[in-house]
Amino acid sequence: MALWGGRFSTGPDQAFKQFNDSLPFDYQLVEQDIVGSIAWAGALRQVEVLSSDEYDQLVAGLNALLDESLENMASIANSGFEDIHSFVEAKLIEKVGELGKKLHTGRSRNDQVATDFRLWCRQTAEQIVTALKSFQGALVELAQRELGTILPGYTHLQRAQPVLFSHWCMAYVEMLNRDISRLSDAIDRLNECPLGSGALAGTAYPIDREELAQQLGFQRATRNSLDAVSDRDFVVEILSCASISMMHLSRLAEDMIFYNSGESGFIELADNVTSGSSLMPQKKNPDALELIRGKTGRVFGAFSAMMMTLKALPLAYNKDMQEDKEGLFDALPTWIACIHMAESCIRGVKVNADATLKAAQGGHANATELADYLVAKGIPFREGHHIVGQLVQVAIAQQKCLEELSIAEFQSICPQIDDDVYPRLEIAACIAARQALGGTSLPQVRTAIQQFKSKG
Ligand code: ARG
């Protein structure tokens, strides 16, 4: 049954076969393997290894096989062949007879698998770009809906300065912009066709490889056959894009889990992304977000496993490289599922603007504003910072906010403080002051939303 049986007098033992076979997972490349084979048949016809008639028969057989395979992908997995390339070749021979045995002329599974996998990565990465864009759309919609909502901004998980809730939404839009741009770069770099590199030294047939690359929708043909069959940088790059993006999603998840907690009560997640407790009837747990946070670990794991596998591998192909698939086949669907789930959480979220405002008003989050007020009175910032620190101590001792201190209390620490301090300490003033580019003032946040929307 193996493609390479001629050299062997006995077959592999069962345990080795199971250990060696990749069909249980690389069956997912069936479409790419057949599409690649059709293009290869075209190249063989051009160099007259196949007649036009033979080419037509092979293509008809491959297309029929493609239709059958797509109907029942899972059955391919346990059909007992070594890998997807062996499966396609054997099934083609079943369909078209001896002619099927000509297809592998001048080709190796090494350039074949590199081509199939790049095709799969390109297609999947393009779906991920679409998912990321849709998620951005949801965040921007939420930003528009909650334009007036004020949220405490945190550093060290201590209330630091108030921000617009929409500013928080747009922060994640920025992160997703970088995810999209990184992934688009990776797609651009992987968009080269290894087919025609043979096992390692190049093919012995005068194939027009640029033409072949174009047939398969690649930008260009790879330049060096040794590199082409041993390069898995594209897997590393996509897993790195996935890891960075999952890190972003995990931060969003963590923010939302905290905002959804009984302690803050800033948001309420929709019922359709939460679950209950088998024991405690009152519970509504943020499972979707916790799973996004949790699944981040396995995507990072796939990335580091790939790096470890490739480290110090000699040129060219080594069987170690078969380990490139399972991690990616797990990581990318995980990434897509997490993007969709994060989008559902954002689309269904209710924001409790009273709770966010109340929290933003507490915690002396307007202290920086008071220091800036002192700067306007001619006091150097460092000195103003110290004075405000003392005023915060006074306020804490009396269990008051800064704006609840009397003028006498203010002046006991700093005589320059006057009645005009109160409007400056209002939360709206703190927000409005941040009008430089990228700040949380309403015009800046509106501009950010507009810029995103006009970019399309
Ligand atoms: N199943 C193999 C893989 O995924 C295909 C390439 C096999 N090449 C070889 N020389 N044994 O890497």
Side-chain angles (χ1 to χ4, degrees), residues 127 131 134-135 335-345:
Q127 284 167 13
S134 161
F135 180 30
W335 184 15
I336 297 185
C338 288
I339 298 167
H340 288 323
M341 206 40 68
E343 177 170 342
S344 295
C345 290

Side-chain angles (χ1 to χ4, degrees), residues 339-389:
I339 298 167
H340 288 323
M341 206 40 68
E343 177 170 342
S344 295
C345 290
I346 285 292
R347 289 206 183 273
V349 77
K350 269 207 229 119
V351 181
N352 182 350
D354 294 337
T356 54
L357 178 63
K358 196 155 169 263
Q361 279 165 336
H364 310 291
N366 49 4
T368 315
E369 216 40 51
L370 184 51
D372 285 339
Y373 166 86
L374 296 179
V375 168
K377 296 272 170 191
I379 298 173
F381 179 78
R382 185 54 53 220
E383 202 177 312
H385 184 283
H386 187 75
I387 293 168
V388 178

Side-chain angles (χ1 to χ4, degrees), residues 22 26 83 85 109-110 113 317 322 325:
S22 52
D26 70 12
D83 55 25
H85 325 295
R109 282 184 294 167
N110 297 351
V113 73
Y317 179 83
Q322 181 167 286
K325 293 177 199 65

Side-chain angles (χ1 to χ4, degrees), residues 4 20-23 25-26 29 82-85 108-111 113-114 199 232 317-325:
W4 34 261
N20 187 52
D21 287 0
S22 52
L23 191 61
F25 47 89
D26 70 12
L29 296 175
E82 180 185 341
D83 55 25
I84 190 59
H85 325 295
S108 156
R109 282 184 294 167
N110 297 351
D111 58 349
V113 73
R232 293 294 182 273
Y317 179 83
N318 301 270
K319 200 56 172 273
D320 315 44
M321 288 160 61
Q322 181 167 286
E323 290 293 309
D324 58 0
K325 293 177 199 65

Side-chain angles (χ1 to χ4, degrees), residues 229-268:
V229 294
S230 42
D231 172 31
R232 293 294 182 273
D233 289 5
F234 61 99
V235 182
V236 173
E237 280 197 49
I238 292 189
L239 285 171
S240 151
C241 294
S243 297
I244 297 173
S245 175
M246 284 297 297
M247 176 269 286
H248 292 152
L249 297 182
S250 76
R251 295 183 77 168
L252 174 96
E254 174 59 19
D255 269 356
M256 290 182 79
I257 289 166
F258 168 58
Y259 294 167
N260 184 63
S261 70
E263 276 57 39
S264 50
F266 295 167
I267 60 173
E268 193 189 331

